[in-house]
Amino acid sequence: MEVRRLKVEEFQLVHEMDAKNVKEPESSASASPSGRIEIISMDPLEMELDFIGYDIAIINAYRRITLAEVATMAIEKVYMYNNTSIVQDEVLAHRLGLVPLKVDPRFFEFRNKDETEWGAQDSVKYELNVRCTKNQEASTNETNPDVLYVHRKGIGSDHAKFQPGMCWYRMLPEIELTREVEGKQADLLQTCFSPGVIDIVTTANGKRIAKIKDARNDSCSRNVFQHDSIKDAVKLTRKTDHIIFYIESHSALKSYEILEEAVKIMSTKCDMLLGEIEKHLETPMET
Amino acid sequence: MPVGADGFRLQNVNENKEKNKLEWVTGPSQDDYNRTFVINDEDHTLGNALKHIIMQNPDVEFCGYTVPHPMERKIHVRVQTHSTPALQVLHKALKDLKKLNEEIREKIEVEVQRYKDTHPPSDAEAD
């Protein structure tokens, strides 16, 4: 009996980097195209880097992993002994959970679901003894919670308090001038783009013409298409293989450590699946 | 929580049953060269990346992935090839994905080191 197969022509994407569209000849050693990584700016809190030549699927996977699966520590259980403040117990507990902590999550392990005791390898205990001393006369302003809280390692997909930071990417914008733009039109063109994108230069015969200085800073507002006089002068595209990647950290992990953890987690996923397949290659199993 | 069509809880579903990570569908559209794999506990993160790698294999005629229902954490990956067993294609793709990962990781380490060397931290930076 002929196996029912899906026809590829209905589903084929034009820009997909599949075997038909990959131009360079595949060597026997590696089937995947290699690319470059350049760090534009980096400090422990924020990082901007460029992925050139890598496919968007992998980059998006890293973005998703940093948001959902890179682990951090956050306050989970709050034991209240004496709370005489206006803030209710649960509201205070919720807010404490959202506080970012400077504990490095890589020293800890995830907690088993069945465990009832909190040990040193998966949690950290804090004690908070706070008394409001601002206005001692007024009784409604009194804030006096004695709380004890435990915090554990978790991931972003469990609760957003466990997210290590923010991560986003965009493709490099590309601007092309299809004709010469001079004088007043050049000034108008310059205002349509973000500052620093278009430069006005004076040529040898005194004309002031517009020149593309650096398309990277453009926020892609496409304002230029509002003006009939210059909307035929530009072509706005994006470079699909040049990704600008931003990571911001608001946890104990530094920005580059978050990226390294994300790549490690992706490798672990592949490993897990590879292990499963190797099991199946010996004993075939079907659902 | 397994819920049936009438809104009440399904009684006989055992949620604690150990799920296999990788399974595949049986039926009329499945044979050695054309298979739909079911990967449990995964979502678009791995699905899209895996699909992209499988598509670069010249023997693959068709590859796609889907999340059958957003409330169930699994993906279906369909692979149709001309002459290679589908499981082998999946195996190779995972190996390639892992290799790509390692490559990226090394490049990141090198870049981070290079950046740290050329931009020494100022004394005003807090720990």
Side-chain angles (χ1 to χ4, degrees):
Chain A
M1 184 178 71
E2 190 65 38
V3 167
R4 197 178 72 230
R5 289 155 74 108
L6 294 160
K7 297 274 184 304
V8 88
E9 284 78 35
E10 312 158 31
F11 298 104
Q12 185 146 32
L13 298 173
V14 176
H15 295 296
E16 174 90 28
M17 287 278 288
D18 57 3
K20 297 188 186 67
N21 287 341
V22 171
K23 290 190 189 67
E24 53 267 36
E26 291 170 11
S27 62
S28 57
S30 77
S32 47
S34 64
R36 278 186 354 251
I37 298 181
E38 281 169 17
I39 297 188
I40 307 297
S41 72
M42 183 174 91
D43 61 48
L45 287 178
E46 249 182 70
M47 178 156 138
E48 181 182 337
L49 65 144
D50 281 6
F51 284 97
I52 305 165
Y54 289 108
D55 185 73
I56 194 89
I58 317 282
I59 313 294
N60 195 31
Y62 292 145
R63 183 194 64 91
R64 287 179 65 103
I65 294 179
T66 56
L67 291 177
E69 296 187 41
V70 176
T72 24
M73 303 279 281
I75 293 174
E76 174 91 351
K77 287 211 177 303
V78 180
Y79 301 95
M80 302 269 189
Y81 291 102
N82 185 15
N83 180 10
T84 56
S85 67
I86 292 276
V87 180
Q88 296 94 340
D89 285 351
E90 59 269 18
V91 173
L92 185 61
H94 179 246
R95 293 180 73 134
L96 282 171
L98 297 173
V99 169
L101 299 167
K102 274 206 160 192
V103 188
D104 191 332
R106 292 171 293 190
F107 295 133
F108 293 86
E109 296 160 12
F110 283 105
R111 185 178 144 80
N112 267 329
K113 265 191 268 214
D114 319 320
E115 266 182 46
T116 46
E117 288 294 318
W118 294 91
Q121 76 276 10
D122 56 19
S123 62
V124 176
K125 217 151 89 157
Y126 287 87
E127 241 182 66
L128 171 63
N129 235 312
V130 149
R131 188 181 296 263
C132 174
T133 50
K134 245 174 146 174
N135 186 351
Q136 306 213 338
E137 269 79 74
S139 54
T140 46
N141 282 349
E142 203 183 298
T143 319
N144 183 5
D146 293 332
V147 309
L148 170 72
Y149 44 96
V150 178
H151 76 278
R152 70 167 176 91
K153 186 167 168 170
I155 54 178
S157 55
D158 183 11
H159 194 290
K161 70 187 177 192
F162 292 119
Q163 268 182 5
M166 180 45 60
C167 183
W168 62 289
Y169 65 86
R170 62 190 177 107
M171 292 180 186
L172 184 72
E174 216 175 323
I175 307 174
E176 208 183 294
L177 286 176
T178 54
R179 64 169 172 86
E180 197 183 72
V181 184
E182 56 166 344
K184 274 227 158 63
Q185 282 190 356
D187 288 324
L188 184 60
L189 194 71
Q190 194 178 43
T191 59
C192 287
F193 291 98
S194 312
V197 175
I198 301 260
D199 228 5
I200 311 247
V201 294
T202 316
T203 55
N205 41 6
K207 280 199 296 187
R208 292 174 65 241
I209 56 171
K211 202 166 84 89
I212 313 278
K213 186 160 141 214
D214 185 9
R216 192 195 170 94
N217 300 329
D218 189 30
S219 59
C220 297
S221 57
R222 297 174 84 86
N223 272 338
V224 68
F225 294 115
Q226 279 181 325
H227 305 284
D228 287 326
S229 53
I230 44 172
K231 73 176 178 196
D232 60 332
V234 284
K235 212 156 79 157
L236 297 176
T237 50
R238 282 197 193 259
K239 269 213 170 120
T240 50
D241 62 349
H242 188 139
I243 311 284
I244 306 171
F245 198 78
Y246 300 88
I247 302 185
E248 293 167 14
S249 159
H250 49 68
S251 68
L253 291 171
K254 303 196 179 64
S255 47
Y256 44 88
E257 288 168 4
I258 293 182
L259 188 60
E260 277 164 26
E261 284 294 307
V263 179
K264 255 190 239 168
I265 291 177
M266 186 78 176
S267 283
T268 320
K269 280 185 199 266
C270 294
D271 274 334
M272 251 199 317
L273 262 182
L274 274 173
E276 284 290 316
I277 291 188
E278 252 126 49
K279 265 198 318 204
H280 284 173
L281 283 175
E282 291 136 32
T283 64
M285 191 229 82
E286 293 176 11
T287 51
Chain B
M1 184 76 49
V3 172
D6 55 358
F8 289 99
R9 206 176 158 191
L10 291 169
Q11 301 97 331
N12 294 328
V13 174
N14 184 5
E15 274 185 332
N16 293 328
K17 181 174 74 158
E18 274 293 318
K19 280 215 263 255
N20 283 313
K21 182 80 185 175
L22 173 71
E23 298 166 326
W24 50 85
V25 177
T26 54
S29 54
Q30 313 284 328
D31 71 0
D32 260 346
Y33 301 117
N34 313 294
R35 222 178 257 297
T36 303
F37 295 100
V38 180
I39 308 181
N40 285 313
D41 272 335
E42 288 298 342
D43 57 359
H44 302 279
T45 307
L46 189 66
N48 200 12
L50 196 57
K51 180 206 80 167
H52 162 70
I53 303 280
I54 294 179
M55 279 301 275
Q56 297 189 321
N57 188 333
D59 197 35
V60 165
E61 184 203 354
F62 174 90
C63 175
Y65 86 99
T66 179
V67 178
H69 195 286
M71 298 194 76
E72 285 182 358
R73 242 186 104 79
K74 59 164 106 162
I75 55 171
H76 285 199
V77 180
R78 169 124 184 123
V79 181
Q80 280 175 197
T81 68
H82 296 296
S83 58
T84 327
L87 192 61
Q88 198 177 322
V89 166
L90 188 66
H91 190 197
K92 180 168 187 299
L94 279 167
K95 277 222 165 98
D96 285 344
L97 184 57
K98 178 141 190 268
K99 201 160 71 136
L100 184 62
N101 253 337
E102 295 300 317
E103 232 179 75
I104 292 182
R105 185 210 270 201
E106 274 162 36
K107 288 198 176 141
I108 289 178
E109 268 176 37
V110 163
E111 257 306 291
V112 166
Q113 197 51 51
R114 179 201 70 88
Y115 191 90
K116 276 188 181 158
D117 291 339
T118 55
H119 295 77
S122 57
D123 293 340
E125 239 182 53
D127 180 46

